[in-house]
Amino acid sequence: MKKMKKRISFFLMSSLILFNFSCYYDQEIDLSQPLPDIPVDQTISFSTDIEPIFAKSGKDCTACHNGNVANPDLQAGNAYADIISQIVPGDAEGSTFYQRLPGNGHPLDVGFVMDNADIALIKAWIDRGAENN
Ligand code: HEC
């Protein structure tokens, strides 16, 4: 009987915690989880690694950032030219583009936040010089 009670309260506590987290982190990058490290020897290519993030199914930036609805244009082929003015190569934290990613100060609630892995990749790409490669 005692065990049962313990289990029930454990279950209740867990749901409470999960529930809290699901609300709280809706529009925030979960900073309790450090961004994953991108190994220094991993090449990051703008066209094959970064651009596809902007057209990701379910988290599709180009639904709005398509040259008509919202700036910058994040469509493949257009994205680099449109975002480079908001980027300080070598300094992601100091780049407006990085500061305004969904989950990190995007001006509009788009109903999703970017995956930490994708944010880490964008950050590393900028920190390593934001090449158009
Ligand atoms: C539902 C539409 C919508 C979606 C989806 C969306 N955005 Fe936006 N975004 C906007 C609007 C509207 C603005 C404000 C544009 C402006 O000020 O001209 C904006 C602004 C931004 C800005 C700041 C631009 C600036 O000049 O300050 C960045 C960076 C940005 N979005 C990146 C993204 C990324 C990356 C994604 C996908 C992960 C995304 N957005 C998804 C609508 C959207």
Side-chain angles (χ1 to χ4, degrees):
M1 208 48 203
K2 221 175 168 192
K3 246 189 181 164
M4 190 70 180
K5 257 192 180 163
K6 256 193 176 161
R7 267 194 208 145
I8 291 175
S9 58
F10 176 74
F11 175 76
L12 284 177
M13 285 298 286
S14 319
S15 357
L16 246 169
I17 290 167
L18 278 176
F19 179 72
N20 267 343
F21 270 62
S22 64
C23 299
Y24 185 74
Y25 286 115
D26 255 3
Q27 279 302 308
E28 298 291 335
I29 295 173
D30 181 358
L31 291 174
S32 67
Q33 303 282 328
L35 291 181
D37 269 335
I38 310 292
V40 274
D41 58 354
Q42 181 182 330
T43 314
I44 307 170
S45 152
F46 185 73
S47 58
T48 60
D49 299 316
I50 305 296
E51 272 184 339
I53 295 173
F54 301 146
K56 200 169 178 170
S57 163
K59 303 193 171 186
D60 186 0
C61 315
T62 62
C64 301
H65 292 276
N66 57 10
N68 296 314
V69 181
N71 288 317
D73 184 348
L74 294 178
Q75 294 176 111
N78 302 344
Y80 189 86
D82 242 41
I83 65 178
I84 195 61
S85 64
Q86 301 185 342
I87 286 175
V88 183
D91 183 10
E93 305 273 3
S95 301
T96 314
F97 181 72
Y98 181 74
Q99 293 161 3
R100 297 194 181 155
L101 293 176
N104 199 21
H106 189 267
L108 185 85
D109 180 351
V110 291
F112 64 76
V113 296
M114 300 183 78
D115 298 334
N116 274 10
D118 293 339
I119 290 168
L121 210 56
I122 293 174
K123 183 174 188 302
W125 171 72
I126 297 176
D127 283 338
R128 294 175 195 182
E131 279 178 79
N132 188 7
N133 53 354

mmCIF file of all heavy atoms in Angstrom, residues 53-55 59-65 69-72 74 83 86 96-102 105-114 122, ligand 1:
data_model
loop_
_atom_site.group_PDB
_atom_site.id
_atom_site.type_symbol
_atom_site.label_atom_id
_atom_site.label_comp_id
_atom_site.label_asym_id
_atom_site.label_seq_id
_atom_site.Cartn_x
_atom_site.Cartn_y
_atom_site.Cartn_z
ATOM 1 N N ILE A 53 17.852 23.808 -42.798
ATOM 2 C CA ILE A 53 17.201 24.054 -41.501
ATOM 3 C C ILE A 53 16.027 25.017 -41.685
ATOM 4 O O ILE A 53 14.995 24.906 -41.033
ATOM 5 C CB ILE A 53 18.215 24.652 -40.482
ATOM 6 C CG1 ILE A 53 19.311 23.645 -40.157
ATOM 7 C CG2 ILE A 53 17.508 25.131 -39.230
ATOM 8 C CD1 ILE A 53 20.449 24.213 -39.301
ATOM 9 N N PHE A 54 16.176 25.966 -42.612
ATOM 10 C CA PHE A 54 15.148 26.991 -42.805
ATOM 11 C C PHE A 54 13.896 26.454 -43.501
ATOM 12 O O PHE A 54 12.874 27.127 -43.544
ATOM 13 C CB PHE A 54 15.712 28.171 -43.621
ATOM 14 C CG PHE A 54 16.914 28.835 -42.979
ATOM 15 C CD1 PHE A 54 17.935 29.355 -43.764
ATOM 16 C CD2 PHE A 54 17.010 28.947 -41.601
ATOM 17 C CE1 PHE A 54 19.032 29.976 -43.180
ATOM 18 C CE2 PHE A 54 18.104 29.552 -41.005
ATOM 19 C CZ PHE A 54 19.121 30.066 -41.797
ATOM 20 N N ALA A 55 14.010 25.254 -44.071
ATOM 21 C CA ALA A 55 12.858 24.695 -44.796
ATOM 22 C C ALA A 55 12.431 23.363 -44.178
ATOM 23 O O ALA A 55 11.829 22.523 -44.826
ATOM 24 C CB ALA A 55 13.226 24.499 -46.264
ATOM 25 N N LYS A 59 8.783 22.975 -39.034
ATOM 26 C CA LYS A 59 9.417 24.176 -38.470
ATOM 27 C C LYS A 59 9.938 25.012 -39.628
ATOM 28 O O LYS A 59 11.093 25.417 -39.669
ATOM 29 C CB LYS A 59 10.560 23.786 -37.512
ATOM 30 C CG LYS A 59 10.079 22.886 -36.386
ATOM 31 C CD LYS A 59 11.069 22.735 -35.272
ATOM 32 C CE LYS A 59 10.398 22.005 -34.106
ATOM 33 N NZ LYS A 59 11.211 21.921 -32.907
ATOM 34 N N ASP A 60 9.064 25.228 -40.593
ATOM 35 C CA ASP A 60 9.449 25.794 -41.876
ATOM 36 C C ASP A 60 9.470 27.323 -41.835
ATOM 37 O O ASP A 60 8.429 27.969 -41.825
ATOM 38 C CB ASP A 60 8.462 25.301 -42.942
ATOM 39 C CG ASP A 60 8.867 25.732 -44.340
ATOM 40 O OD1 ASP A 60 9.907 26.415 -44.470
ATOM 41 O OD2 ASP A 60 8.141 25.398 -45.284
ATOM 42 N N CYS A 61 10.655 27.885 -41.831
ATOM 43 C CA CYS A 61 10.810 29.343 -41.825
ATOM 44 C C CYS A 61 10.315 29.936 -43.149
ATOM 45 O O CYS A 61 9.767 31.038 -43.174
ATOM 46 C CB CYS A 61 12.263 29.733 -41.657
ATOM 47 S SG CYS A 61 13.167 28.830 -40.395
ATOM 48 N N THR A 62 10.557 29.216 -44.241
ATOM 49 C CA THR A 62 10.282 29.784 -45.558
ATOM 50 C C THR A 62 8.781 29.900 -45.841
ATOM 51 O O THR A 62 8.393 30.494 -46.841
ATOM 52 C CB THR A 62 10.961 28.981 -46.688
ATOM 53 O OG1 THR A 62 10.448 27.645 -46.692
ATOM 54 C CG2 THR A 62 12.461 28.937 -46.498
ATOM 55 N N ALA A 63 7.952 29.339 -44.952
ATOM 56 C CA ALA A 63 6.512 29.565 -45.088
ATOM 57 C C ALA A 63 6.234 31.070 -45.009
ATOM 58 O O ALA A 63 5.329 31.574 -45.674
ATOM 59 C CB ALA A 63 5.749 28.813 -44.004
ATOM 60 N N CYS A 64 6.990 31.763 -44.185
ATOM 61 C CA CYS A 64 6.838 33.224 -44.055
ATOM 62 C C CYS A 64 8.003 33.965 -44.698
ATOM 63 O O CYS A 64 7.813 34.963 -45.376
ATOM 64 C CB CYS A 64 6.768 33.627 -42.586
ATOM 65 S SG CYS A 64 5.412 32.872 -41.686
ATOM 66 N N HIS A 65 9.201 33.453 -44.459
ATOM 67 C CA HIS A 65 10.396 34.144 -44.966
ATOM 68 C C HIS A 65 10.662 33.737 -46.418
ATOM 69 O O HIS A 65 11.606 33.009 -46.715
ATOM 70 C CB HIS A 65 11.604 33.822 -44.074
ATOM 71 C CG HIS A 65 11.485 34.410 -42.695
ATOM 72 N ND1 HIS A 65 11.843 35.703 -42.400
ATOM 73 C CD2 HIS A 65 11.017 33.878 -41.545
ATOM 74 C CE1 HIS A 65 11.617 35.956 -41.123
ATOM 75 N NE2 HIS A 65 11.107 34.864 -40.575
ATOM 76 N N VAL A 69 6.196 37.631 -47.383
ATOM 77 C CA VAL A 69 5.554 37.827 -46.084
ATOM 78 C C VAL A 69 6.485 38.498 -45.083
ATOM 79 O O VAL A 69 6.111 39.466 -44.433
ATOM 80 C CB VAL A 69 5.031 36.481 -45.524
ATOM 81 C CG1 VAL A 69 4.347 36.682 -44.185
ATOM 82 C CG2 VAL A 69 4.099 35.817 -46.531
ATOM 83 N N ALA A 70 7.692 37.987 -44.946
ATOM 84 C CA ALA A 70 8.590 38.510 -43.907
ATOM 85 C C ALA A 70 10.030 38.530 -44.393
ATOM 86 O O ALA A 70 10.442 37.687 -45.178
ATOM 87 C CB ALA A 70 8.476 37.657 -42.644
ATOM 88 N N ASN A 71 10.758 39.514 -43.891
ATOM 89 C CA ASN A 71 12.202 39.578 -44.122
ATOM 90 C C ASN A 71 12.917 38.916 -42.952
ATOM 91 O O ASN A 71 12.410 38.976 -41.847
ATOM 92 C CB ASN A 71 12.656 41.039 -44.231
ATOM 93 C CG ASN A 71 12.195 41.641 -45.546
ATOM 94 O OD1 ASN A 71 12.270 41.027 -46.590
ATOM 95 N ND2 ASN A 71 11.694 42.862 -45.471
ATOM 96 N N PRO A 72 14.062 38.350 -43.116
ATOM 97 C CA PRO A 72 14.781 38.115 -44.367
ATOM 98 C C PRO A 72 14.219 36.931 -45.166
ATOM 99 O O PRO A 72 13.539 36.077 -44.618
ATOM 100 C CB PRO A 72 16.195 37.784 -43.876
ATOM 101 C CG PRO A 72 15.968 37.159 -42.530
ATOM 102 C CD PRO A 72 14.783 37.862 -41.940
ATOM 103 N N LEU A 74 14.523 33.520 -46.510
ATOM 104 C CA LEU A 74 15.354 32.376 -46.086
ATOM 105 C C LEU A 74 15.296 31.213 -47.070
ATOM 106 O O LEU A 74 15.696 30.095 -46.756
ATOM 107 C CB LEU A 74 14.926 31.910 -44.680
ATOM 108 C CG LEU A 74 15.186 32.917 -43.555
ATOM 109 C CD1 LEU A 74 14.685 32.391 -42.210
ATOM 110 C CD2 LEU A 74 16.675 33.254 -43.451
ATOM 111 N N ILE A 83 20.742 37.503 -45.166
ATOM 112 C CA ILE A 83 20.994 37.501 -43.721
ATOM 113 C C ILE A 83 22.381 38.034 -43.349
ATOM 114 O O ILE A 83 22.597 38.403 -42.205
ATOM 115 C CB ILE A 83 20.809 36.094 -43.089
ATOM 116 C CG1 ILE A 83 21.840 35.086 -43.612
ATOM 117 C CG2 ILE A 83 19.386 35.607 -43.295
ATOM 118 C CD1 ILE A 83 21.721 33.705 -42.963
ATOM 119 N N GLN A 86 22.912 40.974 -41.154
ATOM 120 C CA GLN A 86 22.529 40.867 -39.733
ATOM 121 C C GLN A 86 23.482 39.944 -38.980
ATOM 122 O O GLN A 86 23.155 39.474 -37.894
ATOM 123 C CB GLN A 86 21.118 40.284 -39.604
ATOM 124 C CG GLN A 86 20.059 41.097 -40.310
ATOM 125 C CD GLN A 86 18.667 40.531 -40.047
ATOM 126 O OE1 GLN A 86 18.513 39.395 -39.639
ATOM 127 N NE2 GLN A 86 17.663 41.352 -40.283
ATOM 128 N N THR A 96 22.478 40.046 -34.881
ATOM 129 C CA THR A 96 21.018 40.199 -34.793
ATOM 130 C C THR A 96 20.313 38.947 -35.275
ATOM 131 O O THR A 96 19.330 38.514 -34.679
ATOM 132 C CB THR A 96 20.567 41.391 -35.668
ATOM 133 O OG1 THR A 96 21.431 42.482 -35.405
ATOM 134 C CG2 THR A 96 19.150 41.768 -35.383
ATOM 135 N N PHE A 97 20.796 38.360 -36.351
ATOM 136 C CA PHE A 97 20.141 37.178 -36.898
ATOM 137 C C PHE A 97 20.041 36.074 -35.850
ATOM 138 O O PHE A 97 18.982 35.478 -35.657
ATOM 139 C CB PHE A 97 20.895 36.658 -38.135
ATOM 140 C CG PHE A 97 20.242 35.460 -38.750
ATOM 141 C CD1 PHE A 97 19.045 35.591 -39.455
ATOM 142 C CD2 PHE A 97 20.780 34.197 -38.609
ATOM 143 C CE1 PHE A 97 18.418 34.475 -40.011
ATOM 144 C CE2 PHE A 97 20.168 33.077 -39.161
ATOM 145 C CZ PHE A 97 18.982 33.223 -39.862
ATOM 146 N N TYR A 98 21.140 35.835 -35.144
ATOM 147 C CA TYR A 98 21.154 34.792 -34.112
ATOM 148 C C TYR A 98 20.241 35.162 -32.941
ATOM 149 O O TYR A 98 19.525 34.322 -32.404
ATOM 150 C CB TYR A 98 22.581 34.562 -33.620
ATOM 151 C CG TYR A 98 22.673 33.490 -32.568
ATOM 152 C CD1 TYR A 98 22.548 32.147 -32.895
ATOM 153 C CD2 TYR A 98 22.872 33.818 -31.215
ATOM 154 C CE1 TYR A 98 22.615 31.161 -31.927
ATOM 155 C CE2 TYR A 98 22.948 32.835 -30.245
ATOM 156 C CZ TYR A 98 22.814 31.516 -30.602
ATOM 157 O OH TYR A 98 22.875 30.540 -29.642
ATOM 158 N N GLN A 99 20.258 36.437 -32.581
ATOM 159 C CA GLN A 99 19.464 36.892 -31.431
ATOM 160 C C GLN A 99 17.965 36.805 -31.682
ATOM 161 O O GLN A 99 17.182 36.875 -30.745
ATOM 162 C CB GLN A 99 19.798 38.353 -31.095
ATOM 163 C CG GLN A 99 21.200 38.572 -30.579
ATOM 164 C CD GLN A 99 21.622 40.038 -30.710
ATOM 165 O OE1 GLN A 99 20.828 40.886 -31.143
ATOM 166 N NE2 GLN A 99 22.855 40.332 -30.352
ATOM 167 N N ARG A 100 17.566 36.696 -32.957
ATOM 168 C CA ARG A 100 16.126 36.723 -33.262
ATOM 169 C C ARG A 100 15.606 35.413 -33.824
ATOM 170 O O ARG A 100 14.525 35.377 -34.424
ATOM 171 C CB ARG A 100 15.836 37.873 -34.229
ATOM 172 C CG ARG A 100 16.166 39.195 -33.574
ATOM 173 C CD ARG A 100 15.614 40.381 -34.293
ATOM 174 N NE ARG A 100 16.012 41.593 -33.596
ATOM 175 C CZ ARG A 100 16.120 42.775 -34.152
ATOM 176 N NH1 ARG A 100 15.841 42.921 -35.435
ATOM 177 N NH2 ARG A 100 16.473 43.812 -33.454
ATOM 178 N N LEU A 101 16.330 34.336 -33.637
ATOM 179 C CA LEU A 101 15.835 33.039 -34.085
ATOM 180 C C LEU A 101 14.624 32.637 -33.239
ATOM 181 O O LEU A 101 14.546 32.992 -32.069
ATOM 182 C CB LEU A 101 16.940 31.975 -33.937
ATOM 183 C CG LEU A 101 18.162 32.132 -34.842
ATOM 184 C CD1 LEU A 101 19.197 31.067 -34.514
ATOM 185 C CD2 LEU A 101 17.759 32.050 -36.307
ATOM 186 N N PRO A 102 13.667 31.911 -33.835
ATOM 187 C CA PRO A 102 12.522 31.439 -33.038
ATOM 188 C C PRO A 102 12.999 30.650 -31.819
ATOM 189 O O PRO A 102 13.708 29.661 -31.953
ATOM 190 C CB PRO A 102 11.761 30.552 -34.024
ATOM 191 C CG PRO A 102 12.062 31.151 -35.358
ATOM 192 C CD PRO A 102 13.508 31.585 -35.255
ATOM 193 N N GLY A 105 14.212 35.105 -29.169
ATOM 194 C CA GLY A 105 13.890 36.511 -29.385
ATOM 195 C C GLY A 105 13.291 36.820 -30.743
ATOM 196 O O GLY A 105 13.334 37.965 -31.204
ATOM 197 N N HIS A 106 12.708 35.809 -31.403
ATOM 198 C CA HIS A 106 12.011 36.046 -32.682
ATOM 199 C C HIS A 106 10.874 37.038 -32.430
ATOM 200 O O HIS A 106 10.154 36.930 -31.443
ATOM 201 C CB HIS A 106 11.453 34.721 -33.211
ATOM 202 C CG HIS A 106 10.917 34.799 -34.598
ATOM 203 N ND1 HIS A 106 9.606 35.057 -34.869
ATOM 204 C CD2 HIS A 106 11.533 34.672 -35.809
ATOM 205 C CE1 HIS A 106 9.445 35.060 -36.190
ATOM 206 N NE2 HIS A 106 10.587 34.833 -36.780
ATOM 207 N N PRO A 107 10.707 38.032 -33.303
ATOM 208 C CA PRO A 107 9.717 39.091 -33.033
ATOM 209 C C PRO A 107 8.266 38.600 -32.991
ATOM 210 O O PRO A 107 7.396 39.332 -32.526
ATOM 211 C CB PRO A 107 9.931 40.090 -34.177
ATOM 212 C CG PRO A 107 10.844 39.454 -35.147
ATOM 213 C CD PRO A 107 11.521 38.307 -34.482
ATOM 214 N N LEU A 108 8.006 37.385 -33.456
ATOM 215 C CA LEU A 108 6.628 36.901 -33.535
ATOM 216 C C LEU A 108 6.568 35.480 -32.990
ATOM 217 O O LEU A 108 7.481 34.702 -33.235
ATOM 218 C CB LEU A 108 6.229 36.902 -35.021
ATOM 219 C CG LEU A 108 4.814 36.549 -35.409
ATOM 220 C CD1 LEU A 108 3.943 37.797 -35.309
ATOM 221 C CD2 LEU A 108 4.781 36.023 -36.852
ATOM 222 N N ASP A 109 5.488 35.150 -32.247
ATOM 223 C CA ASP A 109 5.299 33.770 -31.794
ATOM 224 C C ASP A 109 4.866 32.925 -32.985
ATOM 225 O O ASP A 109 3.777 33.096 -33.515
ATOM 226 C CB ASP A 109 4.221 33.751 -30.708
ATOM 227 C CG ASP A 109 3.975 32.343 -30.184
ATOM 228 O OD1 ASP A 109 4.505 31.373 -30.762
ATOM 229 O OD2 ASP A 109 3.238 32.225 -29.193
ATOM 230 N N VAL A 110 5.753 32.035 -33.448
ATOM 231 C CA VAL A 110 5.435 31.232 -34.632
ATOM 232 C C VAL A 110 4.914 29.851 -34.256
ATOM 233 O O VAL A 110 4.681 29.015 -35.117
ATOM 234 C CB VAL A 110 6.642 31.096 -35.591
ATOM 235 C CG1 VAL A 110 6.942 32.430 -36.232
ATOM 236 C CG2 VAL A 110 7.868 30.557 -34.880
ATOM 237 N N GLY A 111 4.743 29.598 -32.944
ATOM 238 C CA GLY A 111 4.159 28.330 -32.516
ATOM 239 C C GLY A 111 5.161 27.196 -32.414
ATOM 240 O O GLY A 111 4.796 26.066 -32.111
ATOM 241 N N PHE A 112 6.423 27.460 -32.703
ATOM 242 C CA PHE A 112 7.453 26.434 -32.513
ATOM 243 C C PHE A 112 8.763 27.111 -32.172
ATOM 244 O O PHE A 112 8.908 28.323 -32.382
ATOM 245 C CB PHE A 112 7.616 25.550 -33.766
ATOM 246 C CG PHE A 112 8.101 26.275 -35.001
ATOM 247 C CD1 PHE A 112 9.437 26.632 -35.137
ATOM 248 C CD2 PHE A 112 7.223 26.610 -36.027
ATOM 249 C CE1 PHE A 112 9.886 27.296 -36.270
ATOM 250 C CE2 PHE A 112 7.661 27.278 -37.166
ATOM 251 C CZ PHE A 112 9.001 27.621 -37.286
ATOM 252 N N VAL A 113 9.671 26.345 -31.606
ATOM 253 C CA VAL A 113 11.033 26.839 -31.411
ATOM 254 C C VAL A 113 11.966 25.930 -32.198
ATOM 255 O O VAL A 113 11.640 24.777 -32.470
ATOM 256 C CB VAL A 113 11.456 26.866 -29.920
ATOM 257 C CG1 VAL A 113 10.610 27.840 -29.139
ATOM 258 C CG2 VAL A 113 11.396 25.491 -29.308
ATOM 259 N N MET A 114 13.105 26.467 -32.556
ATOM 260 C CA MET A 114 14.054 25.656 -33.318
ATOM 261 C C MET A 114 14.663 24.588 -32.419
ATOM 262 O O MET A 114 14.772 24.770 -31.211
ATOM 263 C CB MET A 114 15.165 26.549 -33.881
ATOM 264 C CG MET A 114 14.642 27.628 -34.791
ATOM 265 S SD MET A 114 15.993 28.593 -35.498
ATOM 266 C CE MET A 114 16.545 27.476 -36.778
ATOM 267 N N ILE A 122 23.851 26.678 -36.389
ATOM 268 C CA ILE A 122 23.856 28.057 -36.884
ATOM 269 C C ILE A 122 24.875 28.885 -36.099
ATOM 270 O O ILE A 122 25.651 29.654 -36.666
ATOM 271 C CB ILE A 122 22.449 28.683 -36.787
ATOM 272 C CG1 ILE A 122 21.510 27.977 -37.768
ATOM 273 C CG2 ILE A 122 22.487 30.187 -37.053
ATOM 274 C CD1 ILE A 122 20.052 28.397 -37.670
HETATM 275 C C1 HEC B 1 4.527 32.573 -39.202
HETATM 276 C C2 HEC B 1 5.518 33.310 -39.945
HETATM 277 C C3 HEC B 1 6.967 33.149 -39.575
HETATM 278 C C4 HEC B 1 7.698 31.986 -39.437
HETATM 279 C C5 HEC B 1 7.210 30.558 -39.596
HETATM 280 C C6 HEC B 1 9.047 32.392 -39.118
HETATM 281 N N1 HEC B 1 9.127 33.749 -39.062
HETATM 282 FE FE1 HEC B 1 10.818 34.836 -38.698
HETATM 283 N N2 HEC B 1 9.735 36.564 -38.774
HETATM 284 C C7 HEC B 1 8.399 36.660 -39.109
HETATM 285 C C8 HEC B 1 8.008 38.054 -39.087
HETATM 286 C C9 HEC B 1 6.621 38.589 -39.417
HETATM 287 C C10 HEC B 1 9.154 38.784 -38.736
HETATM 288 C C11 HEC B 1 9.318 40.291 -38.647
HETATM 289 C C12 HEC B 1 9.768 40.714 -40.012
HETATM 290 C C13 HEC B 1 10.087 42.147 -40.156
HETATM 291 O O1 HEC B 1 10.307 42.829 -39.165
HETATM 292 O O2 HEC B 1 10.149 42.569 -41.330
HETATM 293 C C14 HEC B 1 10.220 37.820 -38.545
HETATM 294 C C15 HEC B 1 11.523 38.154 -38.199
HETATM 295 C C16 HEC B 1 12.578 37.272 -38.156
HETATM 296 C C17 HEC B 1 13.949 37.630 -37.892
HETATM 297 C C18 HEC B 1 14.451 39.046 -37.548
HETATM 298 C C19 HEC B 1 14.617 39.833 -38.805
HETATM 299 C C20 HEC B 1 14.985 41.249 -38.539
HETATM 300 O O3 HEC B 1 15.245 41.965 -39.529
HETATM 301 O O4 HEC B 1 15.010 41.685 -37.406
HETATM 302 C C21 HEC B 1 14.698 36.501 -37.987
HETATM 303 C C22 HEC B 1 16.201 36.372 -37.803
HETATM 304 C C23 HEC B 1 13.781 35.417 -38.290
HETATM 305 N N3 HEC B 1 12.522 35.923 -38.382
HETATM 306 C C24 HEC B 1 14.171 34.116 -38.456
HETATM 307 C C25 HEC B 1 13.280 33.049 -38.609
HETATM 308 C C26 HEC B 1 13.696 31.666 -38.700
HETATM 309 C C27 HEC B 1 15.132 31.181 -38.702
HETATM 310 C C28 HEC B 1 12.546 30.931 -38.798
HETATM 311 C C29 HEC B 1 12.398 29.419 -38.877
HETATM 312 C C30 HEC B 1 13.080 28.628 -37.871
HETATM 313 C C31 HEC B 1 11.424 31.863 -38.798
HETATM 314 N N4 HEC B 1 11.917 33.141 -38.673
HETATM 315 C C32 HEC B 1 10.099 31.497 -38.914
HETATM 316 C C33 HEC B 1 7.551 35.600 -39.416
HETATM 317 C C34 HEC B 1 7.893 34.262 -39.353
#
